[in-house]
């Protein structure tokens, strides 16, 4: 079947050959920060395991199983795995972390202290009790990675079109996956050699009941006959889909296995829900199950090794061994794999020659199908691991152990490192740190609450959320189907917003709109003798705005107009409303948060200079840049220096104790301002006005800005106790979640409840 | 009360003194194009007169009453009046027009041929029967303009704050309007002199039953004692609101008048619904009723004269005559007005001295309150009308009559001129011609169907529509509350749209998105050997797009990418779908229109050059520029000339008979393309796919573009019989309403029915 290689090398096929779909499932034990198996239940913030799409428990209550959605590239699947890791870690008790090894930490002496997962469905518990009896609880505590892999269906279609041997497409596709699986089983020692990462067991893992124990250290206890395998009497052929299905069914019928899913093969054929469906559906993808957790990777596997496994699977298809005996391949594979798994980690492998041969073949394939330079370099790099066993994962672990650090200590060190990393910026979400912060927080909450998240367009902050059968699209965190098309358009138009609110009886600043200087000047009298704000119609971050709190002379008025007309062809002159501005965040008829924003500032201590005080304030982990933190770094640029100068200071001045100095006129968080949550410190009357105003605009989600002269005086709708200056249709949520002071408000969760009313509270 | 003038002159008051609110009601007789009173019923396209806010009938079935909404300037009220005129004219039989004079056209000899308005409520009919008996049908056929006027309430508030005589604000406000009304009644001869425009009656208007007839010509029959006035025994005082209300009530009680509304005073006090409400509500505004229809103004009154009346009303407040006897003012006013009304139109008025005195006073007021130069010029211009009576409206009419043209012929000529103007561009709406065409058509339909229209933001195409109690906001003609916020965001993102449609099982072009040239080149194989389209992710009018219908070499591919990357940082490479593109317009689950667009073209006749053919095609009244016509003028620019050159032509070549030459590659209507409606010529299967695709996107209104290789073959959802290339969230509607060929589709009406399900069909 050299013809297969020829076909795969054709441009129109090779391009698709490089494409694939990926899904990763990864188990880890939940432990305390000192490496003791956690005694707590699965975190209840993660909702019910009955449906949670990405965070489950496997055998024991402590064994978390993290499941990515299907992804289209190694990068993408790792991003999801990273995000799910952070959600899991930040949902656990603050003194717990994930054990980074496949081999479990030191287990309790008594078996009954290893708690079987507390699942609701009784049959799930029964199955685990059976496993405990059949294999022993300790063996079930071993963790690892399952790697689901599907070739591009279009590639298989095109391959199918190139041949005439097989008439039915589904049969052809199944044959492709059968070939890959058989070869994978035959050559999987290659993966065990490179990625095996379970050289040692912890004390008490093997017990007196074990007939025999491995001679540690080895490359992979988990992948050896001492690991997580079926009993010896289980053999299933991959020569045809019929054989595969029938032999598994027979083993279950004979009682050798309790269910299909007890078939612990390193490669499972997948399609439909049960093994018996395969005959009907054909093979849709395969599940590779022999990957040890990589303790050196924060998420148990690196992008490079995801690529390596893909390359290896591609080669398993490419490989020209049509004439080999199909069952013999499996027997050889088991033997060779067990042999490599039990080799000393730092020794040369007996399979080196075959390994280099495989690499040579992969290199030829890489040339023939025009793989990227990046993947060619990866092949070259792997070759060096055959020259230097210390470069393999087991090798790296044992190199450290030989310098005196125990495997347990290495695991502790790495586990804590990943724990610290997950908590360092709790407002961000690993894998998606380039996205808008409100979107990252919404994604975190979705994943935590068991809502499935798909990024439809990353650059555009466009998400697809699925809960049960309900699908909702969300853009920028709170642009949803719950609001109507016209409402944000109304809110985007300041004049229209004021008209609607004013007619509904709310207080809005009076004013006029001008398209020409002459017209604006002719109306000076209208604004004479009262405080005014002159601004471009489409304001942006306060640019072009002039405020005359006590009214303006005709000259001042003209100067202000000139500034505004520089920014826009239309200018608004509005009545100035005295008071403090508050952001009311309304969701579905409730005020969920009220925020006060104050300009960038520092408070003196009589010792340090302003520059030093700013530097210290900037140490706050909530402060960052480019809107990827809830607060921004305070700058000391020209504007800030000018502002200081006007107050008689330079940055080198020492500020008296307790005295506050402001570095900015405007209170925007984006220019270093502080955000202060005061939701609980507000009279109900103001909340009612905010709710009713948002309702008058027809919005479900809005951040509405009220100017309030004295918030201790209850408001009346038709009074000057407040004025509404703006309603925002895509209000920032992150600043409420992580305010500078006051209580954080998880508005993203409220958005999710608005979208999915059936989501449990 | 010199203090009043002092107060009005203060900057903060004078600015507001110039502001006012206006509303105009105008009656006109519906006549045929030869000036005969129409024998038809009120047009049924105008819906029910039970609720129609802007088009009603007054006394007779032929007497249309056009009612503007409240407007904030003379310009704005005239715009609405213009629009309502066009709606009325274009809703009438094509051989009918509006009679431009206050005096009716030649009336039928027999009174019973003057048909009383066929209103549904019996009491309305009874009232008209009473009027016919009490005044005679002929007198009730006189038409005119009612001018509703309200000062800025804030101005009155500020005036109120400047004085101490009156303690209660509502009383103060009522006193303001009482003063203006009394003075208006006293000096209204001034308006009759300038704007009186009913010098002559038509034959048969005065009958043998009349005791006495005027000595025609006069300035205004309508404003004289021979006109539309109450019987002599009606006098109502304006000395106080109590007197006004009680005296009207007494007249009704005594049976002198049948109802409040029979009080035909030249100024009515308004507030609440009935006269009796005035005591409770106070006066809110006044209704000036002595304005004759101006036959020289397309809409019965000019902007200048609306301003003049405003100026006059301002002066009636300004005027310092506190000590005059309040009832005597009214008696004097009636006498003087009747006298002026019955003067010869081309003679000097006996009131010239008082007129010039009034103008001098207005000039002083203009200086004191700093009126614009424009208004000062208006005062000066009016002064010349006192020197030259031929400049008054009646004077202008009589000047023409003296040259031999009858009043009837003048009316016919002007009526036909306004009729032609209304029909010249039936896709536009007078008063709003600067707005987007789809919005103009929607406004037309709204006004026709009796939906109240308010322009919230003109530049932003933002409308408020009200039907009964239901309010809907609409932007750009079809951005409404019926669609959700997220749907247009989804459609705006081409990648997201394709993902959603693709997963729902629709045919969309396959493809990939690239952010870097290198990445795109690495994927060449994916696109090798098939037709592709390379385009910037955010395309705009086809810029940066390259199409390779039969696939591209790697060099061509790279060249296409370079062009696209010049326009955007992200580039899409998509499968090319062969076939013809059709726009399916879906509203609320129905395909309401299907349009084929073909590139700018001309068909030869063997005689004329291409340039001549283009010039002729451009004569089509549907063609215009700047998207204010349903089709655009075909240009003969560089692109068109290049396109001709490629086909071996120059613009001076004579095209063989029947041969078609295309002047553009793209089929956009905006570059001179033709639009062809083929809604009725399409297999149901395609309509079903368009409906289901729009539903999959969650949209209520969408223009979805399908590529169809052969529309005679019915489509199957999961087939290559079609491909969806785009879904538009603000699709143009005007090109469907007025296509180049095929039937026009009034999508704007469908939008209105979607918004207001209770609107009659």
């Amino acid at each position: 079947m050299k013809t297969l290689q020829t076909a795969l090398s054709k441009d129109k096929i090779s391009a698709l050959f490089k494409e694939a779909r990926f899904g990763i499932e990864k188990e880890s034990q939940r432990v305390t920060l000192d490496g003791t198996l956690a005694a707590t239940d699965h975190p209840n913030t993660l909702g019910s395991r009955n449906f949670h799409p990405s965070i489950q428990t496997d055998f024991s209550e402590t064994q978390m199983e993290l499941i990515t959605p299907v992804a289209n590239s190694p990068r993408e699947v790792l991003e999801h795995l990273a995000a799910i890791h952070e959600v899991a870690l930040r949902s656990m008790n603050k003194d717990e972390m994930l054990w980074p090894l496949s081999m479990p930490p030191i287990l309790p002496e008594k078996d009954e202290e290893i708690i079987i997962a507390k699942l609701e469905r009784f049959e799930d518990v029964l199955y685990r009790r059976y496993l405990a009896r059949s294999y022993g609880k300790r063996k079930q505590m071993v963790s690892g990675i399952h790697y689901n892999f599907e070739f591009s269906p279009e590639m298989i279609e095109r391959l199918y079109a190139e041949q005439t041997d097989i008439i039915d497409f589904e049969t052809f596709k199944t044959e492709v996956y059968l070939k890959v699986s058989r070869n994978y089983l035959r050559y999987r020692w290659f993966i065990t050699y490179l990625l095996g990462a379970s050289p040692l067991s912890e004390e008490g893992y093997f017990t007196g009941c074990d007939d025999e124990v491995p001679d540690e250290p080895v490359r992979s206890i988990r992948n050896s006959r001492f690991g997580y395998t079926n009993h010896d009497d289980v053999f299933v052929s991959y020569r045809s889909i019929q054989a595969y299905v029938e032999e598994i069914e027979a083993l279950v019928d004979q009682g050798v296995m309790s269910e299909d899913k007890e078939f612990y093969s390193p490669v499972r054929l997948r399609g439909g829900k049960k093994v018996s469906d395969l005959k009907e559906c054909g093979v849709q993808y395969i599940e590779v199950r022999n990957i040890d957790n990589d303790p050196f990777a924060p998420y148990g596997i690196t992008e490079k090794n995801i690529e390596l496994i893909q390359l290896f699977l591609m080669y398993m298809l490419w490989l020209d061994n049509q004439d080999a005996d199909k069952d013999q391949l499996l027997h050889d594979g088991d033997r060779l794999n067990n042999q490599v798994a039990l080799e000393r980690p730092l020794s040369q492998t007996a399979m080196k020659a075959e390994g280099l041969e495989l690499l040579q073949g992969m290199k030829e394939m890489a040339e023939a199908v025009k793989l990227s330079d990046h993947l060619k370099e990866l092949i070259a790099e792997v070759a060096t691991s055959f020259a230097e066993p210390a470069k393999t994962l087991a090798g790296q672990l044992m190199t450290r152990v030989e310098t005196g650090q125990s495997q347990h200590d290495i695991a502790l060190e790495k586990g804590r490192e990943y724990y610290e990393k997950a908590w360092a910026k709790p407002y961000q979400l690993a894998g998606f740190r380039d996205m808008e912060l409100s979107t990252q927080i919404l994604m975190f909450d979705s994943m935590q609450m068991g809502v499935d998240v798909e990024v439809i367009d990353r650059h555009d902050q466009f998400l697809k959320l699925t809960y049960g059968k309900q699908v909702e699209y969300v853009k920028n965190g709170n642009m949803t189907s719950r609001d109507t098309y016209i409402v944000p358009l109304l809110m985007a138009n300041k004049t229209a917003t004021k008209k609607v609110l004013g007619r509904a009886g709310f207080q809005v600043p009076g004013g006029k709109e001008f398209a020409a200087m002459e017209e604006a000047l002719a109306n000076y009298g209208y604004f004479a003798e009262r405080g005014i704000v002159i601004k471009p119609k489409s304001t942006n971050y306060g640019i072009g705005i002039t405020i005359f709190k006590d009214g303006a002379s005709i000259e001042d008025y003209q100067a202000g107009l000139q500034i505004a007309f520089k920014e826009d062809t239309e200018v608004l002159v509005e009545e100035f409303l005295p008071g403090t501005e508050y952001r009311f965040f309304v969701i579905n008829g409730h005020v969920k948060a009220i925020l006060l924003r104050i300009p960038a500032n520092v408070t003196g201590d009589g010792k340090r200079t302003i520059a030093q005080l700013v530097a210290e304030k900037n140490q706050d982990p909530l402060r960052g840049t480019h809107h990827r933190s809830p607060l921004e770094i305070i700058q000391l640029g020209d504007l800030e220096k000018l502002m200081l100068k006007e107050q008689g200071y330079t940055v080198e001045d020492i500020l008296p104790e307790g005295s506050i100095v402001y570095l900015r006129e405007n209170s925007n968080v984006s220019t270093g301002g502080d955000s202060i949550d005061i939701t609980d410190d507000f009279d109900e009357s103001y909340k009612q006005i905010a709710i009713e105003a948002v309702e008058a605009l027809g919005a479900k989600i809005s951040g509405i800005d009220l100017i309030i002269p004295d918030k201790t005086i209850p408001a009346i709708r038709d009074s000057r106790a407040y004025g509404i200056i703006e309603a925002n249709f895509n209000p920032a949520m992150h600043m409420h979640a992580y305010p500078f002071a006051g209580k954080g408000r998880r508005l993203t969760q409220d958005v999710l409840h608005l979208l999915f009313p059936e989501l449990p509270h």
Side-chain angles (χ1 to χ4, degrees), chain A:
Chain A
M1 198 164 147
K2 270 285 178 198
T3 49
L4 177 69
Q5 292 184 0
T6 310
L8 284 170
S9 304
K10 290 192 177 181
D11 270 351
K12 66 176 178 183
I13 297 181
S14 68
L16 290 165
F17 187 34
K18 299 160 204 167
E19 304 210 331
R21 305 215 301 160
F22 305 83
I24 285 180
E25 298 153 41
K26 184 213 170 213
E27 303 144 352
S28 314
Q29 291 293 348
R30 201 156 41 83
V31 297
T32 60
L33 295 181
D34 62 5
T36 311
L37 199 66
T40 53
D41 285 353
H42 187 70
N44 61 18
T45 45
L46 292 171
S48 166
R49 279 168 277 177
N50 285 343
F51 69 85
H52 204 294
S54 54
I55 305 179
Q56 287 285 345
T57 42
D58 199 275
F59 174 75
S60 77
E61 184 69 5
T62 53
Q63 191 172 28
M64 277 198 159
E65 186 181 6
L66 309 182
I67 306 158
T68 73
V70 178
N72 290 305
S73 70
R75 163 83 42 97
E76 193 185 333
V77 79
L78 190 65
E79 283 164 354
H80 280 282
L81 188 62
I84 297 167
H85 261 86
E86 284 208 344
V87 172
L89 279 164
R90 301 212 295 259
S91 299
M92 283 154 45
N93 274 6
K94 194 72 201 267
D95 68 343
E96 292 178 3
M97 62 179 194
L98 292 173
W99 189 248
L101 293 172
S102 275
M103 293 305 285
I106 300 167
L107 293 172
E109 270 182 49
K110 293 179 187 165
D111 261 14
E112 53 268 39
E113 284 170 27
I114 296 175
I115 311 296
I116 286 178
K118 297 171 177 173
L119 298 174
E120 276 183 32
R121 281 189 311 192
F122 192 54
E123 63 265 40
D124 291 337
V125 178
L126 278 185
Y127 176 64
R128 282 166 177 74
R129 286 192 195 158
Y130 158 80
L131 295 177
R133 281 196 310 279
S134 181
Y135 300 87
K137 276 187 171 178
R138 278 151 217 274
K139 202 164 269 184
Q140 292 291 333
M141 294 295 274
V142 171
S143 300
I145 284 172
H146 298 177
Y147 181 112
N148 295 282
F149 181 83
E150 181 186 9
F151 285 115
S152 152
E154 208 178 342
M155 184 277 285
I156 300 182
E157 265 175 49
R158 293 187 186 185
L159 265 189
Y160 168 69
E162 294 283 320
Q163 56 88 52
T164 50
D165 297 348
I166 301 175
I167 292 169
D168 175 60
F169 171 68
E170 285 302 327
T171 307
F172 178 80
K173 187 165 151 189
T174 291
E175 285 302 322
V176 163
Y177 284 114
L178 281 170
K179 176 183 178 189
V180 169
S181 300
R182 286 191 303 264
N183 285 342
Y184 189 86
L185 288 168
R186 165 61 181 81
Y187 293 104
R188 75 179 189 273
W189 69 261
F190 181 87
I191 297 296
T192 302
Y193 172 74
L194 292 167
L195 307 183
S198 48
L200 298 166
S201 63
E202 297 301 322
E203 205 185 312
Y205 174 77
F206 289 108
T207 62
C209 309
D210 290 299
D211 303 334
E212 195 197 2
V213 297
D215 179 17
E216 301 180 12
V218 297
R219 298 200 197 274
S220 176
I221 295 173
R222 177 171 167 274
N223 281 296
S224 75
R225 67 187 162 89
F226 300 102
Y228 192 60
T229 59
N230 287 105
H231 300 296
D232 288 344
D233 45 0
V234 170
F235 176 83
V236 170
S237 174
Y238 284 65
R239 68 180 180 279
S240 72
I241 195 69
Q242 287 74 16
Y244 179 83
V245 173
E246 284 159 16
E247 291 181 18
I248 290 176
E249 285 174 345
L251 285 166
V252 174
D253 285 349
Q254 293 154 23
V256 178
M257 301 193 304
S258 72
E259 295 184 35
D260 295 351
K261 65 179 172 184
E262 199 189 330
F263 180 51
Y264 294 150
S265 168
V267 182
R268 274 186 189 159
L269 304 176
R270 302 301 299 261
K273 290 193 171 178
K274 302 187 304 295
V275 167
S276 57
D277 295 338
L278 280 169
K279 279 206 259 184
E280 186 89 7
C281 311
V283 179
Q284 302 297 322
Y285 66 98
I286 56 173
E287 181 189 356
V288 169
R289 298 159 52 87
N290 64 328
I291 319 298
D292 283 355
N293 289 356
D294 174 357
F296 303 109
Y299 313 117
I301 189 165
T302 59
E303 187 181 338
K304 198 178 270 183
N305 286 334
I306 298 172
E307 290 173 323
L308 173 63
I309 297 165
Q310 179 190 6
L311 256 179
F312 188 70
L313 288 164
M314 288 165 75
Y315 186 64
M316 295 298 102
L317 177 61
W318 174 271
L319 206 60
D320 186 19
N321 63 344
Q322 201 62 5
D323 300 330
D325 179 292
K326 287 170 179 162
D327 285 346
Q328 192 56 44
L329 284 173
L330 271 57
H331 291 301
D332 290 350
D334 284 352
R335 183 175 43 81
L336 295 173
N337 180 64
N338 186 56
Q339 178 188 322
V340 170
L342 294 177
E343 287 173 345
R344 289 266 172 271
L346 292 170
S347 67
Q348 287 288 0
T349 176
M351 294 303 291
K352 184 174 175 184
E354 187 174 284
L356 294 176
E357 207 179 298
L358 287 169
L359 285 165
Q360 181 56 33
M362 285 162 78
K363 224 169 123 183
E364 285 161 17
M365 174 185 78
E367 289 302 329
V369 307
K370 302 197 189 86
L371 291 191
S372 67
D373 291 346
H374 166 71
L375 291 178
K376 289 179 188 165
E377 282 157 23
L378 178 57
I379 296 169
E381 195 184 320
V382 168
T384 67
S385 294
F386 276 90
E388 305 167 59
K391 287 191 166 176
T392 64
L393 291 184
Q396 287 178 56
L397 258 171
M398 283 314 297
T399 304
R400 285 231 203 176
V401 170
E402 290 196 345
T403 64
Q405 207 181 8
S406 71
Q407 177 179 271
H408 176 88
D409 287 346
I410 297 167
L412 258 190
E413 179 196 314
K414 300 310 281 182
R416 282 188 193 157
E417 182 186 325
Y418 308 146
Y419 164 92
E420 296 294 347
K421 196 175 161 186
W423 281 102
K425 292 189 172 177
Y427 42 83
Q428 292 186 351
L429 184 63
F432 300 95
R433 295 193 205 277
D434 56 308
M435 296 187 76
E436 281 186 7
L437 210 47
S438 288
T439 294
Q440 288 188 51
I441 299 172
L442 182 78
M443 289 175 75
F444 180 95
D445 287 344
S446 299
M447 291 181 180
Q448 189 179 51
M449 293 162 96
V451 174
D452 188 58
V453 179
E454 183 188 348
V455 179
I456 292 281
D457 191 308
R458 189 166 185 132
H459 191 70
D460 217 16
Q461 321 293 327
F462 216 114
L463 304 181
K464 178 185 184 184
L465 303 181
T466 310
Y467 181 73
K469 287 187 175 170
Q470 191 190 337
V471 173
E472 293 287 343
Y473 296 94
V474 179
K475 190 169 139 52
N476 298 81
N478 54 29
M479 298 154 99
T480 75
S481 71
R482 288 299 177 271
D483 271 305
T484 70
Y485 189 2
I486 196 69
V487 165
L489 299 170
L490 178 64
M491 292 201 245
N493 184 315
K494 291 189 176 67
T495 308
T497 301
K498 285 207 308 181
K499 275 192 189 172
V500 171
L501 287 177
R503 282 178 206 170
F506 295 95
Q507 288 294 318
V508 289
K512 283 175 179 286
E513 200 178 312
F514 303 109
M517 173 63 87
E518 194 187 29
E519 191 194 346
L521 287 176
N523 276 273
Y524 169 67
Y526 187 86
F527 300 106
E529 297 176 43
R530 49 177 175 173
I532 54 170
V533 182
I534 303 177
K535 57 185 175 191
K537 188 174 174 191
S538 41
T539 46
N540 219 344
Y541 300 113
I543 294 162
I545 295 186
T546 313
I547 299 174
F548 298 103
K549 293 185 184 179
D550 307 306
S553 69
I554 180 83
E555 293 76 20
D556 290 345
Y557 179 70
Q558 184 161 11
L561 287 167
Q562 270 158 356
I563 292 167
F565 272 118
K566 257 185 220 160
E567 303 297 327
D568 201 343
T569 55
E570 289 178 290
V571 164
L572 297 179
V573 183
E574 277 184 354
E575 173 187 10
F576 169 76
L577 302 179
T580 307
E581 181 182 336
Y582 300 92
R583 160 67 54 88
F584 286 66
F585 204 114
V586 177
I587 303 184
N588 203 20
H590 299 277
V591 171
K592 291 291 187 178
I594 308 175
L595 200 74
L596 167 66
R597 284 164 289 180
I598 54 176
N601 67 83
V602 286
T603 306
D605 62 359
K607 292 174 202 154
R608 283 176 291 180
T609 66
I610 291 173
Q612 286 168 333
L613 291 167
V614 166
E616 198 216 357
K617 193 160 180 174
N618 283 341
Q619 292 300 309
D620 187 340
L622 293 183
R623 290 195 192 266
T625 55
H626 301 96
H627 309 279
R628 291 300 177 267
S629 302
L631 296 169
E632 288 285 306
I633 291 288
I634 302 172
Q635 304 292 332
L636 281 178
D638 290 346
L639 271 173
E640 288 81 3
K641 284 177 184 160
L642 186 66
M643 177 89 181
L644 284 175
K645 195 178 164 193
E646 282 170 6
Q647 298 168 84
Y649 290 116
T650 73
V651 293
E652 295 311 327
D653 285 335
I654 291 171
L655 210 54
E657 191 172 347
S659 107
I660 297 181
V661 71
Y662 291 94
L663 295 126
R664 277 279 190 158
E665 192 108 42
N666 64 311
S667 59
N668 302 49
V669 167
S670 61
T671 52
D674 291 341
S675 52
I676 299 167
D677 178 85
I678 46 167
T679 314
D680 296 331
D681 184 27
F682 238 100
D683 193 85
E684 205 52 43
S685 58
Y686 290 100
K687 296 185 186 176
Q688 205 50 41
I689 281 170
I691 290 166
E692 287 168 10
V694 169
E695 196 188 342
L697 292 168
K700 287 284 178 188
I701 299 175
S702 180
I704 190 160
D705 295 332
L706 272 68
I707 294 272
I708 298 173
D710 182 352
K711 79 186 184 66
T712 63
I713 301 167
I716 297 161
R717 185 152 159 174
D718 186 24
S719 80
R720 307 286 283 184
Y722 73 97
I724 301 176
I725 54 166
E726 208 169 286
N728 301 279
F729 53 91
N730 178 220
M733 299 190 287
H734 60 274
M735 64 185 181
H736 298 276
Y738 297 93
F740 174 73
K743 192 175 159 186
R745 307 285 166 173
R746 207 74 181 181
L747 302 172
T748 39
Q749 288 186 358
D750 297 312
V751 170
L752 289 170
H753 283 297
L754 174 65
L755 291 175
F756 302 102
E758 288 173 21
L759 208 56
H761 275 268

